[in-house]
């Protein structure tokens, strides 16, 4: 199996751009799939090529069992991730995806830049039991996070979405970071929406302790789902992170 075939298994590139100088590798929030990042291709500069992680159990990987542990998720994504890291890379993750992106950088050994959004640091991570609780409790938690967006399981996809959410919540709620790791060598940018009730400024700035390089905190319009309600602000932060990497390839 060649590099392209390996990457194709778990990664989706909605707008291939072989001439791009930087790859943006995206990890979605719980319950989401690679397609949530497709609209970003119209906002990114032409020198960035977007690839999105497609976890098992959703969209075109519906027939595969969903992963329920962080190690299982990273193991699934790592072959393609390694293949895609043959040019400068920015790893971006939102909410659960931020933790996956951090663990992916650790598994790779390094990256060009890590951009995390809407998530506390691994050592601040809170466990939970929604993944083992009744459907109604999980649905209520999703409703709380989504605010005034559609929240009923019927509106969100019903029987299709619930197993994905439960699996992703299992990944999040059973996650335990490896203690004593060295700080990352790559820079970190941490974003949050100014109206995101899940995080404080202290949560965002705590990511500075995870890098030996530059750290930047960015506060953008919106709540926990700012990345999709106000994507331009997130894209601007990602582009700023990717700029020095692109300059190094010219």
């Amino acid at each position: 199996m060649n590099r392209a075939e390996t990457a194709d298994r778990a990664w989706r590139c909605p707008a291939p751009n072989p001439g791009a100088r930087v790859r943006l590798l995206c990890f979605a929030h719980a319950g989401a799939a690679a397609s949530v990042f497709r609209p970003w291709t119209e906002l990114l500069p032409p020198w960035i090529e977007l690839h999105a992680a497609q976890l098992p159990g959703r969209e075109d990987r519906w027939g595969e069992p969903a992963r329920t542990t962080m190690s299982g998720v990273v193991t699934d994504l790592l072959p393609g991730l390694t293949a895609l890291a043959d040019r400068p890379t920015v790893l971006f993750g939102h909410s659960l995806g931020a933790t996956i992106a951090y663990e992916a950088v650790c598994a790779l050994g390094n990256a060009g830049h890590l951009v995390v959004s809407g998530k506390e640091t691994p050592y601040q991570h809170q466990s939970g039991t929604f993944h083992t609780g009744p459907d109604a409790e999980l649905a209520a938690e999703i409703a709380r996070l989504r605010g005034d967006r559609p929240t009923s399981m019927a509106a969100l996809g019903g029987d299709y979405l619930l197993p994905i959410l439960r699996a992703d919540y299992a990944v999040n709620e059973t996650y335990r970071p490896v203690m004593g790791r060295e700080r990352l060598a790559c820079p970190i940018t941490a974003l949050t929406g100014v109206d995101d009730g899940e995080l404080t400024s202290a949560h965002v700035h705590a990511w500075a302790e995870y890098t030996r390089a530059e750290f930047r905190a960015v506060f953008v319009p919106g709540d926990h789902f700012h990345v999709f309600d106000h994507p331009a602000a997130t894209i601007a932060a990602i582009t700023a992170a990717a700029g020095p990497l692109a300059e190094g390839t010219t």
Side-chain angles (χ1 to χ4, degrees):
M1 183 177 291
N2 61 33
R3 278 189 169 189
E5 291 170 335
T6 302
D8 281 349
R9 178 173 176 270
W11 291 88
R12 304 293 174 265
C13 182
N17 181 6
R21 301 197 298 276
V22 176
R23 284 197 172 116
L24 171 61
L25 309 181
C26 296
F27 304 80
H29 57 284
S35 62
V36 299
F37 294 107
R38 187 175 295 126
W40 284 19
T41 60
E42 299 179 2
L43 302 174
L44 287 165
W47 47 272
I48 297 179
E49 181 184 62
L50 185 149
H51 293 255
Q54 186 76 296
L55 300 184
R58 66 207 73 202
E59 292 187 340
D60 56 353
R61 299 189 70 186
W62 171 250
E64 301 178 50
R67 302 297 187 264
T68 57
T69 65
M70 185 63 71
S71 62
V73 168
V74 174
T75 297
D76 181 80
L77 297 177
L78 190 57
L81 182 63
T82 303
L84 291 168
D86 62 350
R87 71 180 67 176
T89 57
V90 174
L91 276 69
F92 169 83
H94 177 63
S95 198
L96 170 62
T99 308
I100 298 173
Y102 167 76
E103 288 292 332
V105 174
C106 292
L108 276 176
N110 199 11
H113 202 116
L114 172 63
V115 182
V116 293
S117 169
K119 190 65 173 176
E120 72 276 5
T121 69
Y123 291 168
Q124 294 172 318
H125 178 72
Q126 300 292 316
S127 60
T129 58
F130 286 111
H131 71 286
T132 59
D135 291 352
E137 289 185 4
L138 181 56
E141 170 64 3
I142 300 303
R144 184 187 67 81
L145 289 172
R146 291 181 64 85
D148 60 0
R149 300 169 186 84
T151 56
S152 71
M153 278 299 148
L156 294 174
D159 293 341
Y160 167 79
L161 184 61
L162 190 58
I164 299 172
L165 281 168
R166 195 171 292 282
D168 288 354
Y169 265 72
V171 172
N172 185 60
E173 293 179 336
T174 63
Y175 170 67
R176 301 292 183 272
V178 175
M179 305 302 288
R181 276 175 172 161
E182 293 186 0
R183 296 184 180 194
L184 299 180
C186 68
I188 294 178
T189 297
L191 296 93
T192 190
V194 293
D195 297 317
D196 187 348
E198 300 300 298
L199 295 180
T200 66
S201 176
H203 284 125
V204 177
H205 285 278
W207 279 100
E209 299 301 316
Y210 284 73
T211 178
R212 304 194 302 272
E214 180 185 359
F215 171 78
R216 183 182 178 212
V218 180
F219 297 85
V220 299
D223 58 15
H224 188 64
F225 290 97
H226 65 88
V227 291
F228 304 112
D229 292 340
H230 305 280
T234 300
I235 294 294
I238 291 171
T239 302
L245 302 177
E247 293 170 5
T249 64
T250 58

